[in-house]
Amino acid sequence: MTFISSRYLKFVHHFCSFFVGYLMFSLLHEYRQSKNNLFKSCSSFHTNPSAITEEMSDSCRVIINGEVFLLGYEYSRKTIPSERKFLKGITSSCNIFSGCSVLYSVWCDDIGVGSHISFVYSYRNKSLIRNEIYVPIQRSPISYSSKEISYDEQRISIVIPCYHSVDKLSNFIEFNNLYILNDDNVRLIVVTSSNDNFAEITAINKVLSTFLLKHKYKVVSYPEKFSRGHSRNVGAANADDNDIIFFSDIDMVFNDGMISRCKAFTESGVSIYYPVIFSQFNPENSNIRIDPVNFMEISTKSGFWRNFGFGMLCVHKADFDALGGFPVYEKWGYEDHEFYKKSKSAFSIIRIPDPGIIHKYHFKDCFVDSENLQMCLNSQSKTEGNNQQLGITLLKQRHRGKD
């Protein structure tokens, strides 16, 4: 049976390769012409178009079930005709085979050069297949590659620092336990400081044991004063050597789509996945809340793409160790940016808007004596709402003052 499945999988690879190539060539003139018109006034060129690069991230869009998620003014929209033509052909070729389905696609523009398109399939719920297609604007050959990621062989360890945040941890598990429980190769590593904190360690274990089976989580503590960077390093040290480490924060909500992208775009020795997360506005101003079942809409009314944040990432443990881990600071926000600088100097960075991970709103404390006070206040102000919502809130307060 394994032999037959293997032959089927190879056949799917070859057929999809042929079909995609044929489809691309048949639409190439129209697609190239539209891109030429779009890029005529642009002067930025990149010399290596073989993969998604960090420079392309602002142009990247993720397409899931006909909906497009992107940075910029719209945040989300429906597919346009040229995208629909490509997707229809790709989906049709996949649907010929039982158990093959297109999960999502990622489209990124290399300004003045061409487009990089990545299609991710699920095959019989056993493996992910990621097809990479590069469509140059000029009359050059279309490049194509394929990669298979087995569900059964690749484990993800989610590392969560937790300190004086047991209530938040309970909320995190309540929203995300479905995706941790349903995937046998996903487990949770919660890290805290044991420095005068034994009661909280007991409470953490109680919360986790209420929602998760024992083999699905691990609680790790260290005696030093709590530090987010040090907590992440300790959590990574407790992951297995072949794991992908998903560094998350306790106020994140994610779904199985994000987990699959974590697997698909993190390649040992090659790439690190830095999703651009969607940050929720203050629900008191937006009147929109996250639903644990239906998740949350992506719109300019519900939140914004946090393209200035680098704290959430997926990286192979060996690559993380090679980079030397996070720097240990007591200051706010530095360790993420420092590690990101090290990451992009040694690996390819895949950074795309990911609708499968959302930062839940919470009030941010900004300490007056902090040398990063302005940075913290800027971040806090962005989460309160869009300009219209903040204006309405201010007018309501003024009217209440008159009453």
Side-chain angles (χ1 to χ4, degrees):
M1 192 68 182
T2 304
F3 177 71
I4 295 175
S5 296
S6 176
R7 292 192 63 183
Y8 257 71
L9 190 57
K10 288 181 180 179
F11 187 64
V12 170
H13 284 185
H14 290 306
F15 186 87
C16 286
S17 176
F18 170 78
F19 193 92
V20 167
Y22 175 79
L23 184 65
M24 293 294 181
F25 277 114
S26 67
L27 298 171
L28 193 54
H29 178 74
E30 176 187 342
Y31 192 78
R32 279 177 168 155
Q33 188 60 45
S34 65
K35 289 299 178 186
N36 274 319
N37 292 337
L38 178 65
F39 296 143
K40 266 180 181 176
S41 60
C42 299
S43 58
S44 175
F45 292 89
H46 306 298
T47 58
N48 182 15
S50 59
I52 297 174
T53 63
E54 183 192 9
E55 288 82 0
M56 299 184 202
S57 62
D58 287 345
S59 74
C60 288
R61 52 224 186 262
V62 180
I63 303 180
I64 305 173
N65 295 327
E67 187 164 8
V68 184
F69 301 94
L70 67 165
L71 303 178
Y73 179 74
E74 294 176 286
Y75 290 1
S76 67
R77 60 168 172 77
K78 297 300 180 184
T79 53
I80 59 177
S82 62
E83 292 167 341
R84 283 196 293 272
K85 285 182 182 180
F86 281 98
L87 290 169
K88 183 178 179 181
I90 298 299
T91 304
S92 298
S93 69
C94 188
N95 289 343
I96 293 173
F97 303 95
S98 175
C100 176
S101 60
V102 178
L103 299 179
Y104 48 86
S105 58
V106 178
W107 302 50
C108 300
D109 295 325
D110 199 4
I111 303 297
V113 180
S115 296
H116 184 99
I117 307 171
S118 180
F119 292 94
V120 179
Y121 308 77
S122 172
Y123 183 68
R124 295 189 173 181
N125 292 323
K126 291 183 178 180
S127 62
L128 291 173
I129 304 170
R130 181 175 131 203
N131 288 345
E132 304 288 337
I133 306 152
Y134 180 72
V135 184
I137 292 177
Q138 304 302 325
R139 295 189 176 278
S140 304
I142 296 173
S143 61
Y144 172 82
S145 65
S146 183
K147 174 190 174 186
E148 182 183 353
I149 309 103
S150 174
Y151 282 133
D152 298 329
E153 296 175 0
Q154 184 59 73
R155 186 167 75 170
I156 293 180
S157 285
I158 305 172
V159 173
I160 302 286
C162 178
Y163 190 66
H164 295 167
S165 303
V166 175
D167 291 341
K168 286 186 176 181
L169 178 64
S170 179
N171 197 255
F172 174 89
I173 299 297
E174 182 181 353
F175 273 87
N176 297 315
N177 76 84
L178 179 64
Y179 308 108
I180 299 173
L181 281 174
N182 286 355
D183 193 326
D184 291 335
N185 289 294
V186 174
R187 72 163 179 168
L188 186 65
I189 301 176
V190 179
V191 189
T192 189
S193 167
S194 60
N195 186 11
D196 299 324
N197 195 37
F198 291 106
E200 185 170 66
I201 294 174
T202 302
I204 289 172
N205 277 289
K206 184 177 180 180
V207 167
L208 294 174
S209 63
T210 300
F211 290 97
L212 302 174
L213 299 174
K214 184 63 179 175
H215 72 281
K216 298 292 291 182
Y217 69 89
K218 186 176 185 178
V219 180
V220 184
S221 62
Y222 55 89
E224 295 86 3
K225 184 179 179 181
F226 180 81
S227 158
R228 183 167 173 264
H230 186 48
S231 295
R232 288 185 156 198
N233 292 339
V234 170
N238 281 270
D240 289 346
D241 289 341
N242 294 323
D243 284 3
I244 289 176
I245 303 173
F246 167 28
F247 288 105
S248 179
D249 281 343
I250 206 165
D251 44 18
M252 294 293 158
V253 180
F254 56 85
N255 62 18
D256 54 351
M258 190 277 160
I259 294 295
S260 78
R261 284 182 283 279
C262 186
K263 291 181 179 180
F265 293 114
T266 306
E267 189 172 350
S268 180
V270 178
S271 62
I272 299 175
Y273 181 47
Y274 274 91
V276 179
I277 64 173
F278 193 76
S279 193
Q280 181 191 20
F281 285 146
N282 186 343
E284 292 184 6
N285 295 329
S286 68
N287 295 315
I288 298 174
R289 300 181 184 276
I290 296 178
D291 185 328
V293 177
N294 300 316
F295 220 46
M296 191 181 87
E297 66 173 271
I298 304 292
S299 73
T300 55
K301 295 179 180 179
S302 60
F304 66 100
W305 291 112
R306 189 182 283 262
N307 56 353
F308 54 82
F310 302 95
M312 310 312 122
L313 67 142
C314 295
V315 56
H316 272 272
K317 185 182 186 309
D319 296 339
F320 178 80
D321 292 341
L323 289 168
F326 286 93
V328 178
Y329 298 132
E330 293 182 14
K331 302 172 184 177
W332 180 83
Y334 269 119
E335 71 280 342
D336 296 343
H337 288 80
E338 290 299 316
F339 187 78
Y340 178 70
K341 288 178 184 178
K342 290 196 294 183
S343 297
K344 69 178 185 178
S345 68
F347 297 94
S348 294
I349 301 298
I350 297 182
R351 185 161 172 80
I352 58 175
D354 194 323
I357 180 167
I358 290 175
H359 177 265
K360 286 188 66 179
Y361 171 81
H362 63 86
F363 181 77
K364 184 184 290 291
D365 289 317
C366 295
F367 301 104
V368 176
D369 59 347
S370 170
E371 61 185 76
N372 298 309
L373 176 62
Q374 191 60 50
M375 187 193 301
C376 182
L377 290 172
N378 288 342
S379 177
Q380 180 184 351
S381 65
K382 288 179 180 292
T383 64
E384 290 301 314
N386 61 33
N387 290 341
Q388 183 181 32
Q389 291 165 350
L390 293 178
I392 291 173
T393 299
L394 179 62
L395 290 172
K396 285 180 178 179
Q397 290 175 348
R398 287 182 177 177
H399 283 295
R400 289 194 195 104
K402 290 180 179 178
D403 295 339

